[in-house]
Amino acid sequence: MKDCPVICPVCGSPLHFAEKTAVCKNGHSFDRSKEGSVNLILNGSPSAGDGAEMASARKRFLSKGHYSHLLCGLKESLRDYIFPQSTVIDACCGEGYFTNALQKEFCEASFYGFDLSKRALRYAAKDSQKALFFAANISSVPVKDGSADILLHIFAPVNEKEFLRLLAPKGVFIHVFPGKDHLMGIKRILYGEPRQNDERSGLSDAFEVISSKKISETVVLDNASLCDLITMTPYFYRTPKDRIENAMRLPYAETETEFIIDICKKNGKIKRIKK
Ligand SMILES: [Zn+2]
């Protein structure tokens, strides 16, 4: 098994893990939650991330398998690139639903999840069999240069410079972002005639897209799952309160879900293969 690529965010030395702390050879010490995640956010850095309500809503929603089709698509994508000794880094892992499920599927590889939300990481670490979870700022992930054989990034803004640093020379970046019709059913309920999402990855030519696939499925949600989905999206904060309340009274709802999975490598010209 390869060494743990996670380093001390102060001096860059390797970290050694104990039950309640992680320490480096220079005596920098970091707290470990009772669930096992390590807080590598330095004092003075922003440490908010997603709040309790959003994290628990997403945890419940994903646990019910409403995005299991995305998980299947990710398993297929990883299968083409992963090998037993792979180091997989999930930047913005949230509650760890995808990280833990993929670790279970590819049990010989080593998975490391990072997120700003300590609350979300508690769920992630609690459900973990082997993956390790860390609170960290995604603009400066405390991981050795070039250690990610696979870098996973699902539904969050990309920090290109940092991601290029993390990626091993022959590593792949698996970038998941919403398709144009993602959550149209929910948007129709909230806004009447909604606009489609901008279906572009937003990556520069620093990454070469070697394959791209779209995963679509209509999901039917009962009231509890509908409320959770609305709570875990940005619409919850952007939409007038009365519209949110009306939507949350519906007994059920149906919505399209649409995900793009782009597999990228460093450099080269962009070549998109539609499946
Ligand atoms: Zn240190």
Side-chain angles (χ1 to χ4, degrees):
M1 192 175 153
K2 277 200 263 181
D3 288 341
C4 174
V6 183
I7 52 174
C8 169
V10 181
C11 69
S13 305
L15 284 175
H16 304 281
F17 299 95
E19 195 188 333
K20 290 185 176 173
T21 54
V23 288
C24 77
K25 65 176 183 186
N26 294 317
H28 302 121
S29 178
F30 304 92
D31 291 340
R32 208 165 179 186
S33 70
K34 69 174 191 297
E35 295 83 7
S37 65
V38 180
N39 179 16
L40 297 178
I41 296 170
L42 299 175
N43 286 338
S45 302
S47 61
D50 293 339
E53 204 178 0
M54 194 182 253
S56 60
R58 197 161 47 213
K59 163 76 178 153
R60 282 190 301 270
F61 182 85
L62 292 174
S63 302
K64 287 179 187 164
H66 294 305
Y67 282 0
S68 57
H69 46 302
L70 172 56
L71 179 58
C72 286
L74 283 168
K75 284 179 184 174
E76 271 176 34
S77 298
L78 258 78
R79 199 163 284 128
D80 293 338
Y81 298 96
I82 203 162
F83 49 94
Q85 299 297 309
S86 285
T87 295
V88 184
I89 292 181
D90 187 353
C92 293
C93 63
E95 299 71 33
Y97 170 76
F98 296 104
T99 335
N100 282 325
L102 293 170
Q103 171 75 85
K104 220 171 171 179
E105 181 80 7
F106 305 104
C107 50
E108 288 182 70
S110 301
F111 282 70
Y112 303 90
F114 295 84
D115 203 279
L116 193 55
S117 168
K118 285 182 246 173
R119 213 170 275 271
L121 287 166
R122 282 187 169 182
Y123 292 119
K126 199 174 174 194
D127 290 345
S128 171
Q129 288 181 346
K130 190 181 157 204
L132 295 175
F133 291 97
F134 302 87
N137 196 319
I138 298 310
S139 61
S140 176
V141 182
V143 163
K144 276 185 250 174
D145 293 356
S147 42
D149 299 308
I150 294 178
L151 177 63
L152 195 58
H153 197 59
I154 303 169
F155 271 43
V158 171
N159 187 316
E160 274 201 7
K161 198 178 157 203
E162 182 64 351
F163 286 8
L164 287 167
R165 182 188 73 78
L166 294 172
L167 207 56
K170 290 187 174 174
V172 292
F173 173 37
I174 300 185
H175 182 211
V176 181
F177 54 97
K180 60 180 173 21
D181 288 327
H182 185 57
L183 300 187
M184 278 303 258
I186 301 298
K187 286 160 80 174
R188 270 192 294 273
I189 291 168
L190 294 172
Y191 308 122
E193 287 182 26
R195 278 185 303 181
Q196 289 179 316
N197 298 314
D198 181 2
E199 195 179 271
R200 284 180 297 184
S201 75
L203 293 182
S204 78
D205 283 3
F207 291 98
E208 177 189 1
V209 181
I210 51 175
S211 86
S212 181
K213 67 178 168 189
K214 184 182 272 192
I215 300 204
S216 308
E217 199 166 298
T218 299
V219 294
V220 180
L221 307 170
D222 63 10
N223 175 267
S225 290
L226 170 65
C227 292
D228 283 338
L229 179 57
I230 292 173
T231 307
M232 66 190 242
T233 64
Y235 313 135
F236 189 63
Y237 300 102
R238 291 185 197 154
T239 312
K241 209 174 161 208
D242 58 323
R243 289 191 186 194
I244 295 285
E245 284 169 358
N246 286 339
M248 285 185 163
R249 278 191 210 109
L250 294 172
Y252 72 93
E254 203 177 280
T255 185
E256 302 87 332
T257 63
E258 201 170 74
F259 309 97
I260 314 281
I261 303 180
D262 274 1
I263 312 267
C264 315
K265 285 190 170 181
K266 281 187 188 184
N267 300 321
K269 288 177 187 170
I270 288 176
K271 184 179 153 205
R272 191 169 279 248
I273 305 158
K274 291 275 184 199
K275 282 188 183 175

